[in-house]
Amino acid sequence: MTKFRGFVLLIGIIPLLLACQDRPEVIKDLSEASFKVVNQDSSTVNFPQDFKGKYTIVGFIYTHCPDVCPVISAKLSNVNKQLEDNSDVQFVQITFDPKRDTPSVLKKYMQQFKQDKQNFTAITGDSATIDTLLSSMDILAKIADKKITENGEETYLMNHTNRILVMDKQARVRYEYPGSVVKEEHVIDDLNALR
C-alpha cells in the first residue's frame, strides 16, 4: 500500500515538474531594486518598481547612436504593434548617455519611432544613477571617439552592450536577446510563453 501511495504521489508531481520546465529561469532578480530616475516628461520614475504588475520589455539606447540603437527602438515599436494584446506590457528604453539624453531629447526620439507614452517610457537621470542601474543589469557602456569641434562642442560615440530584456511582473529578467538582431516574433513568442 505504501508503494502504491508513493507511485500515486509521483504520478501527481510529474505534470507539475513538466509545467515548471516551460518557465524560463530567472536571469537577474531586480524585484528589490529601485532606481530613482526621470522619464521623457521629466517625471520621477522608480525603476523597476513602478512597472511591477506588467511585463516589461527593456531596450538600452542613446539618441546619438548611428547604428544599433535605432534598430533596437524600431524592434520595440514593431513588437508593440504585432502584439495581439499589449495591455499588460510596458516598453522601457534606458539611455547610456544621460549627459546628452535629457527628457526633451528622449521625447523627440520616441516621436520618431511613433512610441506613445501609454506603452513606452524612456529613462534618463544623473550619470551615477544611470551607471549603477546599467551595471545592475550587466549592461556596459563607454565613451569612444571623443572629439572637440571647432566651436568647442564635445562629440562622441559610445561602445555599448546590444541587448533587449524581458522582465516578468515581479521585475525579474527572464529573457535576454542581442537587441539589434533578435526577430520580433521570437520576443513575442517568449513573452506569450511567460504569460
Side-chain angles (χ1 to χ4, degrees):
M1 189 70 159
T2 305
K3 286 182 181 180
F4 181 71
R5 281 188 196 154
F7 179 73
V8 170
L9 182 62
L10 183 61
I11 294 296
I13 290 175
I14 289 174
L16 182 62
L17 291 173
L18 291 174
C20 290
Q21 287 179 343
D22 292 339
R23 306 290 293 176
E25 66 183 59
V26 174
I27 296 168
K28 185 157 285 295
D29 188 347
L30 296 170
S31 59
E32 300 299 319
S34 185
F35 298 93
K36 197 174 201 174
V37 290
V38 294
N39 68 11
Q40 71 280 353
D41 295 322
S42 299
S43 298
T44 300
V45 173
N46 289 304
F47 181 86
Q49 298 301 316
D50 289 351
F51 304 105
K52 278 187 169 181
K54 288 197 168 199
Y55 297 100
T56 307
I57 301 178
V58 185
F60 302 90
I61 55 99
Y62 76 107
T63 61
H64 289 78
C65 183
D67 45 32
V68 173
C69 301
V71 175
I72 289 173
S73 295
K75 285 188 177 287
L76 295 179
S77 295
N78 290 337
V79 168
N80 183 50
K81 286 178 197 162
Q82 292 174 27
L83 280 171
E84 287 182 26
D85 177 13
N86 64 2
S87 62
D88 61 349
V89 181
Q90 182 67 39
F91 295 85
V92 176
Q93 294 176 107
I94 302 172
T95 182
F96 297 112
D97 188 12
K99 182 177 178 181
R100 294 184 294 186
D101 287 344
T102 61
S104 61
V105 169
L106 289 172
K107 192 174 204 170
K108 287 178 189 168
Y109 180 83
M110 288 173 63
Q111 290 167 351
Q112 291 173 9
F113 293 94
K114 296 180 173 57
Q115 297 172 339
D116 66 273
K117 64 182 183 179
Q118 180 179 348
N119 292 95
F120 284 86
T121 301
I123 289 177
T124 189
D126 65 79
S127 293
T129 302
I130 293 296
D131 288 347
T132 304
L133 189 165
L134 294 173
S135 178
S136 77
M137 301 178 89
D138 296 327
I139 302 296
L140 304 174
K142 186 176 180 182
I143 292 175
D145 297 327
K146 192 181 215 181
K147 297 175 186 162
I148 305 294
T149 63
E150 288 180 8
N151 58 358
E153 183 183 345
E154 182 181 74
T155 64
Y156 54 87
L157 297 174
M158 298 193 79
N159 293 330
H160 59 80
T161 305
N162 173 18
R163 193 167 299 155
I164 290 174
L165 307 175
V166 175
M167 300 171 75
D168 65 21
K169 291 184 174 187
Q170 291 77 40
R172 298 173 300 187
V173 177
R174 294 301 191 105
Y175 295 101
E176 55 183 5
Y177 316 96
S180 64
V181 296
V182 66
K183 292 184 177 174
E184 289 89 337
E185 298 79 20
H186 189 65
V187 177
I188 291 167
D189 289 346
D190 287 345
L191 175 64
N192 288 332
L194 188 58
R195 286 169 156 163

